[in-house]
């Protein structure tokens, strides 16, 4: 997704709005009405992107301006930004809408608004003005100063925190990626007898699929199919349908599926843990949550459905729903289990993630002379070493996979020291493991340890460390920069052979890895060489990998891997088979 700079109130009115002004507007709005309108706007926004058509983005942003801004604001907008394309300078964006909901819940009036036209017009334009002000408040004057003054690292830390939450919400994982990722992890890996046996042995006898159904009350396949089906249903409507018939974004538990294969109890087992009502949400947001409230998305992430009438709910953001395809079963199961029973689930999740990454990397095996060795162990004692190794001529690419997620109270703290401490705590171990094992393989002053079954060339010139991560927030700019600093510090503790150049650390988010592997399979990209080139071009790793890739001449070519396409199509086909009975009342 191209970078976008949303328009703020200060740009139009030449002054920074105060929180008191915003609270004054929000206190005059109907809480429930505003929340449901913002949820509908969120669905419309996501729909405009799902079409991959810039004209759809233009249509939605134009509709937002024409229907929610007062005449003065429209005039100022046209005078100052009339020549700007709305898709590059949007007025509406996801984090803004989620904050609009949060403020409506905590400050708005209870009850429905009067239906007279004057009141409705005031409500409409009040929401538009509040939306603009909310965008300003994501970066207050003091925070602007933080990203402009101080050392380079200090400015980068503050800028990184400024874009954490916005980047996470505005750049969700592509639904296609989530679908084939989910299908492999839950429908292929979890059916593999060897993996089932490994999880059982290493995770205190856990059978992930059976435990999920036992605790949640619905088969894992049914739960995932409902996520897919509801996401598809919500984005199947046109912008015109959302405008003319607002009710299309509502979900009725009892009628959303025609002739369902799942029982009513199973459907309730899906919706109940993911749903809340206005009062419960209001209480949750009024708690002292020890985070910066502007970026506090946890209640919406945990329960993306709001119950607004018997059997009826609305989705606050379909992107938060779609992300459930990846980590939803893991988080739900670990949340519902007693705390002392969660450790096996955490361990199993790491095993599943490693299986998926290795499956992805198989797509690079043998290409351009790169030999792939997953799950490596030391020959002398059989202990675990690198999660994977590529041997390509005189270059070794050594890899660690990290499936964990940063703590929620830290990722939204907006405190650089707190965040950096958590980042170091969660991923510093991966940096240390890479530095330590490189040193053991190619030590400074003695013969190194051997990897079982991995032939290391006698004249290795480069070692390229790679850390594969899955937390969506780790796609944020400068994460790689700071983790590379930690890796370089660990290298001083674990020196390697001076004749071998240890390259900077590549941090690769799982979505970027999927993209790279698909390009290798479709366009014959030499991924190891591309990553090596990145290290050469930017030794500090300050430039994001995705930005580096996007600047390659061949990056604009469309690609669709046959291996990924088959998983995607198989997953979509299974959804209907799992959710619906055939005409004879049986599952197909």
């Amino acid at each position: 997704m191209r970078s976008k700079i949303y328009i703020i109130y200060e740009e139009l009115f030449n002054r920074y709005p105060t929180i008191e002004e915003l609270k004054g507007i929000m206190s005059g709005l109907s809480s429930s009405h505003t929340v449901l309108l913002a949820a509908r706007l969120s669905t419309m926004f996501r729909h405009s992107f799902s079409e991959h058509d810039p004209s759809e983005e233009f249509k939605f942003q134009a509709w937002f301006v024409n229907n929610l801004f007062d005449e003065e604001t429209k005039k100022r907008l046209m005078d100052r930004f009339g020549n700007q394309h709305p898709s590059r300078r949007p007025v509406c964006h996801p984090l803004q809408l989620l904050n609009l909901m949060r403020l409506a819940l905590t400050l708005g009036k209870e009850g429905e608004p009067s239906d007279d036209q004057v009141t409705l017009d005031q409500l409409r334009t009040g929401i538009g003005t509040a939306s603009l002000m909310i965008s300003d408040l994501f970066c207050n004057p003091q925070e602007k100063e933080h990203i402009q003054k101080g050392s380079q690292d200090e400015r980068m830390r503050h800028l990184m925190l400024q874009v954490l939450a916005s980047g996470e919400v505005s750049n969700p994982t592509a639904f296609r990626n989530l679908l084939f990722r989910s299908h492999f992890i839950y429908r292929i890996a979890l059916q593999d007898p060897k993996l089932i046996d490994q999880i059982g042995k290493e995770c205190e006898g856990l059978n992930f699929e059976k435990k999920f159904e036992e605790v949640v009350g619905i088969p894992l396949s049914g739960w995932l199919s409902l996520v897919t089906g509801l996401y598809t249903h919500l984005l199947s409507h046109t912008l015109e349908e959302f405008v003319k018939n607002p009710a299309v974004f509502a979900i009725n538990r009892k009628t959303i599926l025609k002739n369902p294969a799942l029982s009513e109890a199973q459907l309730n087992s899906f919706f109940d843990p993911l749903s809340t009502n206005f009062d419960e949400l209001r209480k949750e947001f009024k708690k002292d949550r020890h985070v910066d409230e502007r970026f506090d998305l946890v209640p919406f992430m945990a329960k993306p459905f709001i119950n607004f009438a018997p059997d009826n709910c609305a989705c606050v953001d379909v992107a938060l729903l779609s992300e459930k395809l990846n980590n939803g079963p893991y988080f739900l199961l670990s949340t519902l289990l007693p705390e002392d029973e969660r450790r096996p689930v955490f361990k199993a999740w790491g095993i599943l993630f490693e299986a998926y990454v290795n499956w992805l990397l198989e797509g690079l095996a043998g290409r351009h002379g790169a030999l792939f060795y997953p799950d490596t162990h030391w020959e002398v004692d059989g202990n675990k070493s690198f999660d994977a190794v590529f041997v390509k001529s005189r270059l070794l690419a050594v890899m660690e996979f990290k499936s964990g997620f940063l703590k929620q109270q830290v990722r939204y703290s907006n405190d650089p020291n707190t965040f950096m401490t958590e980042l170091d705590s969660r991923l510093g171990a991966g940096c240390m493991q890479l530095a330590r094992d490189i040193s053991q393989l190619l030590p400074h002053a003695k013969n190194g340890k051997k990897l079982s079954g991995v032939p290391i060339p006698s004249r290795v010139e480069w070692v390229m460390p790679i850390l594969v991560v899955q937390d969506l927030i780790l796609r944020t700019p400068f994460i790689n920069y700071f983790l590379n600093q930690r890796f370089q510090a660990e290298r001083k503790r674990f020196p390697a052979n001076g004749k071998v150049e240890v390259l900077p650390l590549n941090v690769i988010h799982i979505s970027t890895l999927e993209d790279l592997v698909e390009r290798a399979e479709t366009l014959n990209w030499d991924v190891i060489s591309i990553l090596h080139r990145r290290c050469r071009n930017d030794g500090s790793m300050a430039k994001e990998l995705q930005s580096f890739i996007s600047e390659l001449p061949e990056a604009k070519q469309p690609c669709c891997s046959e291996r990924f396409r088959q998983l995607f199509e198989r997953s979509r086909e299974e959804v209907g088979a799992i959710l619906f009975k055939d005409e004879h009342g049986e599952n197909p």
Side-chain angles (χ1 to χ4, degrees), residues 501 503-504 506 529-543 547-549 551-552:
E501 182 181 0
L503 297 166
N506 272 290
S529 291
I530 287 172
L531 294 174
H532 189 183
R533 196 188 322 169
R534 182 204 181 197
C535 295
R536 288 291 189 210
N537 289 357
D538 181 17
S540 69
M541 310 308 272
K543 187 171 187 175
S547 297
F548 175 78
I549 294 169
E551 293 175 1
L552 298 175

Side-chain angles (χ1 to χ4, degrees), residues 200-489:
K201 288 179 178 177
E202 298 183 23
C203 306
E204 302 177 24
L206 174 70
N207 182 303
F208 192 98
E209 195 165 9
K210 289 181 179 179
K211 178 61 75 171
F212 183 90
E213 184 170 2
E214 172 192 323
V215 173
V216 182
I218 180 175
L220 179 56
S221 59
W223 194 93
L224 293 165
S225 295
L226 279 168
V227 172
T228 302
L230 290 168
Y231 175 89
T232 304
H233 166 76
L234 286 167
L235 293 188
S236 65
H237 302 288
T238 64
L239 180 63
E240 289 73 20
E241 286 177 307
F242 285 121
V243 171
K244 294 178 180 178
N245 183 16
V248 298
F249 91 104
I251 296 169
N252 184 293
R253 292 192 187 196
K254 294 188 175 180
T255 63
I256 190 67
L257 296 181
K258 308 298 181 184
N259 197 25
L262 297 170
S263 69
E264 182 177 347
Q266 289 173 328
L267 288 172
N268 288 336
S269 293
F270 171 82
F271 280 106
D272 287 347
L274 299 180
S275 303
T276 186
N277 58 42
F278 292 111
D279 288 338
E280 290 170 348
L281 257 182
R282 194 172 288 116
K283 290 177 183 177
E284 193 65 28
F285 277 117
K286 286 185 176 181
K287 290 179 181 177
D288 185 1
R289 301 175 54 78
H290 305 291
V291 292
D292 188 320
E293 62 180 13
R294 298 169 299 172
F295 309 118
D296 182 15
L297 309 177
V298 175
F300 292 134
M301 289 177 165
K303 298 188 176 185
F305 296 113
I306 296 181
N307 300 317
F308 63 88
D311 300 319
N312 283 277
C313 61
C315 183
V316 298
D317 188 329
V318 294
L320 300 185
L321 173 63
S322 67
E323 286 290 345
K324 299 293 182 186
L325 281 175
N326 179 31
N327 54 41
Y330 159 73
F331 277 126
L332 184 60
L333 183 55
S334 57
T335 299
L336 294 178
L337 283 171
E339 191 168 348
D340 60 354
E341 296 181 25
R342 295 174 185 174
R343 183 173 175 80
V345 179
F346 300 158
K347 177 71 173 175
W349 182 242
I351 293 171
L352 289 169
F353 182 67
E354 184 170 344
Y356 177 61
V357 177
N358 280 325
W359 175 82
L360 279 178
L361 294 174
E362 286 172 5
L364 305 181
R367 295 181 184 275
H368 306 280
L371 302 178
F372 177 53
Y373 301 93
D375 190 25
T376 68
H377 293 75
W378 297 117
E379 189 177 89
V380 64
D381 52 19
N383 289 335
K384 174 84 173 183
S385 181
F386 305 104
D387 285 332
V389 172
F390 276 97
V391 179
K392 185 176 189 293
S393 185
R394 289 168 293 167
L395 183 146
L396 296 181
V398 295
M399 311 179 80
E400 285 291 328
F401 313 149
K402 294 301 176 186
S403 62
F405 300 89
L406 274 62
K407 294 176 182 176
Q408 293 170 338
Q409 64 267 33
V410 172
R411 62 200 294 144
Y412 307 124
S413 66
N414 200 32
D415 182 314
N417 294 329
T418 300
F419 182 82
M420 294 303 296
T421 299
E422 173 72 359
L423 183 68
D424 190 65
S425 171
R426 291 282 171 163
L427 296 172
C431 299
M432 182 277 292
Q433 289 166 338
L434 285 166
R436 179 198 64 198
D437 289 355
I438 290 171
S439 177
Q440 291 183 352
L441 183 67
L442 301 164
H444 178 64
K446 58 183 178 180
N447 292 328
K449 294 169 68 175
K450 293 183 178 181
L451 292 171
S452 179
V454 183
I456 303 297
S458 58
R459 293 183 58 196
V460 173
E461 289 191 27
W462 306 282
V463 177
M464 183 165 62
I466 297 173
L467 191 64
V468 180
V469 298
Q470 90 162 318
D471 191 335
L472 188 58
I473 214 164
L474 296 176
R475 287 194 301 181
T476 302
F478 309 129
I479 293 287
N480 198 154
Y481 173 82
F482 287 113
L483 287 176
N484 180 55
Q485 288 186 345
R486 170 63 189 269
F487 173 72
Q488 299 304 328

Side-chain angles (χ1 to χ4, degrees), residues 510-521:
I510 189 64
S511 295
T512 305
L513 183 62
E514 289 163 344
D515 178 55
L516 285 169
V517 170
E518 186 161 28
R519 290 181 182 279
E521 294 184 6

